[in-house]
Amino acid sequence: GEKQAEAKEAGADAVGAEELVAKVKEGWLEFDAAVATPDVMALVGQIGRLLGPRGLMPNAKTGSVTFDVTKAVTELKAGRVEFKILGNLKALLDTVNRLKPSAAKGSYMLSMAVSTTMGPGFKVDMPQVKKFLEG
């Protein structure tokens, strides 16, 4: 109803509830992100097996389950991206430093590369990493 009109005004490509869930059940997955209000999450839960593995399931932690659909749609259309890399990198570096042998002297980590399981590796700028750990 009202929230659908808000989403459409904000620039959403597709808007709906039951009819949109039915369309996704039929195999339509031509969208990059999904936004839902908390009251329709029961409907969205029906297609969780389709959306979840593709990273399309609305989530309150990422701001895609909200009553402020205008803000959510506007941010997504503007190109908002979630990064979880920094938190994981900090946890990795903290663990490596904690496990550093007491006999090791000087700089323990000289270089580092980060990659996905089957993807290319990217060199990490160690001076920037040191600043990151201190800050």
Side-chain angles (χ1 to χ4, degrees):
E2 178 184 317
K3 294 296 178 184
Q4 290 179 7
E6 281 181 36
K8 199 67 174 170
E9 251 181 64
D13 297 325
V15 181
E18 292 89 355
E19 65 281 359
L20 201 55
V21 169
K23 191 174 177 181
V24 171
K25 281 182 182 178
E26 292 170 6
W28 180 75
L29 291 167
E30 297 172 24
F31 54 95
D32 297 323
V35 176
T37 55
D39 56 330
V40 297
M41 278 306 290
L43 283 172
V44 178
Q46 297 173 10
I47 53 175
R49 288 190 186 131
L50 297 170
L51 300 179
R54 292 171 177 82
L56 299 172
M57 187 69 174
N59 184 333
K61 289 181 183 177
T62 61
S64 55
V65 176
T66 179
F67 280 113
D68 191 0
V69 292
T70 303
K71 179 182 174 194
V73 170
T74 305
E75 286 179 352
L76 288 167
K77 291 298 260 186
R80 182 178 136 214
V81 179
E82 291 289 324
F83 288 102
K84 297 179 183 177
I85 296 168
L86 292 179
N88 292 341
L89 180 61
K90 184 156 178 58
L92 168 73
L93 295 172
D94 288 344
T95 302
V96 169
N97 282 327
R98 193 178 71 247
L99 298 174
K100 173 183 171 182
S102 57
K105 302 292 180 206
S107 185
Y108 187 59
M109 287 186 279
L110 300 177
S111 66
M112 175 188 288
V114 178
S115 74
T116 60
T117 304
M118 297 296 285
F122 297 96
K123 285 194 170 234
V124 175
D125 185 11
M126 291 309 287
Q128 286 293 94
V129 168
K130 288 177 183 166
K131 285 182 188 176
F132 174 68
L133 286 175
E134 293 168 0

